[in-house]
Amino acid sequence: LEVGPARIFRQFRAPQGRREQVMPLANYFKTRDGRWIQIHTAIGQLAPALGRPELAEDPRWADFKAAREHGGELVDTMDQIFGTMTYAEITPKLEAAGIRWEPVQTMAELVEDPQAHAAGCFVEVPAGEDNDQVQLQAASPQTFYDELTPVNPALGPPPRIGEHTRE
């Protein structure tokens, strides 16, 4: 069994767009104010949350098989609905319904995200040899061990232009 980004059970799959997803509601949708939200849910949970309970009864996506066959239409319908609401309007509805969702963040938003900091995604490193300032740097996703003790390389500022030219 080989598993990779596009290889499962020795079958190759072409990259898929938003309309071709196996699970159409495990997808990204754009709000009226241009924010993207990732959701992972079922139509029976999402439709009432969006004030459109009748969509859960639509035979085109009433079950998993139907939703897969008509996924493009479902994505188009959700695009229209998400496009009528701002991020601030839609996110409380998703929360109240218990729908799994996350904002698609810009880099500026990510470095301010308390959850990213709590997860150890960033470390403070010296900004340079000549000053006392620090800058944020992405933490390494890998941890190396000396027996059972974590040992990670020292992080620091990036090299200056030409610093390693001779090497």
Side-chain angles (χ1 to χ4, degrees), residues 25-46:
L25 295 180
N27 219 322
Y28 301 87
F29 296 96
K30 189 175 180 180
T31 62
R32 187 177 76 218
D33 53 350
R35 296 290 310 268
W36 285 89
I37 296 173
Q38 178 186 13
I39 64 170
H40 192 272
T41 190
I43 190 68
Q45 189 177 21
L46 183 61

Side-chain angles (χ1 to χ4, degrees), residues 118-140:
C121 293
F122 303 105
V123 293
E124 289 185 352
V125 298
E129 294 177 13
D130 302 335
N131 62 46
D132 295 332
Q133 295 180 345
V134 294
Q135 64 187 22
L136 282 181
Q137 194 173 77
S140 173

Side-chain angles (χ1 to χ4, degrees), residues 22 39 71 73 88 90 92 96 102 107 132 162:
V22 172
I39 64 170
E73 297 167 71
I90 203 164
E102 285 295 326
M107 289 303 293
D132 295 332

Side-chain angles (χ1 to χ4, degrees), residues 58-101:
D58 191 311
R60 292 175 295 171
W61 39 73
D63 60 37
F64 180 78
K65 183 179 178 189
R68 187 172 179 186
E69 289 174 7
H70 300 279
E73 297 167 71
L74 180 52
V75 170
D76 291 345
T77 299
M78 289 301 128
D79 279 344
Q80 292 172 0
I81 295 170
F82 273 72
T84 66
M85 291 182 260
T86 65
Y87 179 83
E89 292 167 340
I90 203 164
T91 53
K93 297 174 188 283
L94 300 175
E95 282 291 323
I99 293 170
R100 291 187 291 173
W101 72 276

